[in-house]
Amino acid sequence: ASAPLSASKRKKKKNRGGNTKRVVFLLGTACVTSVLWFASKTSTPPLRLPLRRSLFVSEIGASTKCQKDLRLNRATLDTSLALGTTFLLNHQKDGGNFDYEFDWISLENSNDDSDVRQAGALWGMALIFHDMCDSLLRPSDLEEATRVLTHVAKRILKGIFFFETNSKILKNEPDDTQVMRYLTYPTEDEYGTGTQALVCLALVDFLRALNTSEEALALAGISNEEFEHVYTLLDELLPFLVTQH
């Protein structure tokens, strides 16, 4: 067993601990003060997003309780998803891709782009769509839910067709019947598998959502031909992805 510390050593050890705590506290206070001072000198006007009072009125204006109750609940999630979906829809371009970035200084959309983040945005919409299909199983305004579901489904298809347009079929051997497709994003010289993987995830979750219930496909306004087209596209993208591991 180790020998007990003498009274003088215990006092020195205690003092060292107290000094360390005081130093950490002073450093923390100085950092917080510096951040607040810098923020006050470099404040920028708040971004005003063009949120339309259109698709999600019933969900956004559900109740004021969400604003006061900080606990995570279904109402808070529904409001967040509705606002996020509206933002994505407002920033989807005619071609199916999305605005990449908003410049807070010039108050204009940036000309930069990223194939990976574009694919990630599409996957995010597919996940939201999946939750919307699940919500059909919960008590709700079915007419409003169907209208929103149909609109989001068509927008996802537009995003899927954007990546299909920017893709090519890999030439196979004559005896190989498997069709393999790879993405060719217009602003990229090299084609990474990360983008292809995210697009595949978007297709998987979109198709899974449409299989949530027998009514989901009809309520989303997706025809059997459109469903089969997306399924075939996934069947062409996945083999190429697997062979690149």
Side-chain angles (χ1 to χ4, degrees):
S2 59
L5 295 174
S6 64
S8 59
K9 289 184 178 181
R10 285 198 302 269
K11 185 175 181 180
K12 289 181 180 179
K13 186 176 182 180
K14 183 177 180 181
N15 289 338
R16 285 198 299 270
N19 290 334
T20 301
K21 291 180 180 178
R22 282 193 292 271
V23 170
V24 171
F25 174 79
L26 290 173
L27 287 174
T29 303
C31 290
V32 171
T33 303
S34 300
V35 170
L36 292 176
W37 178 85
F38 180 80
S40 66
K41 298 296 183 182
T42 59
S43 59
T44 56
L47 175 63
R48 292 178 174 81
L49 299 175
L51 286 176
R52 294 197 303 265
R53 182 180 164 81
S54 56
L55 293 177
F56 304 97
V57 174
S58 61
E59 295 184 46
I60 294 175
S63 68
T64 56
K65 184 178 180 181
C66 296
Q67 301 173 5
K68 299 177 181 179
D69 192 351
L70 298 180
R71 292 175 299 176
L72 187 61
N73 51 45
R74 187 67 229 185
T76 303
L77 289 173
D78 286 340
T79 301
S80 300
L81 288 171
L83 290 168
T85 306
T86 303
F87 178 81
L88 285 173
L89 294 178
N90 285 343
H91 287 274
Q92 187 177 29
K93 300 179 180 180
D94 293 337
N97 55 334
F98 300 87
D99 294 328
Y100 171 71
E101 181 182 56
F102 187 85
D103 191 327
W104 283 36
I105 297 177
S106 65
L107 298 182
E108 295 178 349
N109 286 319
S110 170
N111 292 324
D112 291 340
D113 202 0
S114 167
D115 56 334
V116 175
R117 295 180 182 180
Q118 291 284 351
L122 181 63
W123 183 30
M125 283 191 66
L127 291 172
I128 293 173
F129 179 77
H130 200 305
D131 180 78
M132 293 171 67
C133 288
D134 288 340
S135 70
L136 295 176
L137 305 177
R138 300 191 293 268
S140 62
D141 183 347
L142 186 59
E143 182 177 354
E144 173 71 7
T146 301
R147 185 172 67 87
V148 175
L149 191 72
T150 302
H151 188 81
V152 174
K154 295 301 182 183
R155 292 297 195 92
I156 293 175
L157 281 179
K158 182 185 288 188
I160 291 173
F161 295 151
F162 168 80
F163 281 101
E164 181 182 14
T165 301
N166 293 285
S167 66
K168 293 181 180 179
I169 298 293
L170 184 66
K171 294 181 179 180
N172 299 332
E173 297 296 331
D175 58 342
D176 190 354
T177 59
Q178 175 64 61
V179 177
M180 290 196 292
R181 182 184 295 271
Y182 63 98
L183 299 177
T184 57
Y185 200 76
T187 61
E188 300 294 332
D189 296 329
E190 298 181 355
Y191 314 123
T193 54
T195 304
Q196 185 127 347
L198 287 170
V199 172
C200 287
L201 287 171
L203 298 180
V204 167
D205 279 302
F206 183 61
L207 294 171
R208 285 177 57 204
L210 293 173
N211 281 324
T212 301
S213 65
E214 295 180 358
E215 299 83 8
L217 191 65
L219 292 176
I222 302 297
S223 65
N224 290 327
E225 290 76 15
E226 289 172 323
F227 182 89
E228 291 298 330
H229 185 85
V230 174
Y231 189 90
T232 301
L233 183 61
L234 176 63
D235 194 44
E236 295 172 353
L237 289 170
L238 272 178
F240 180 82
L241 183 65
V242 172
T243 59
Q244 302 305 305
H245 73 284

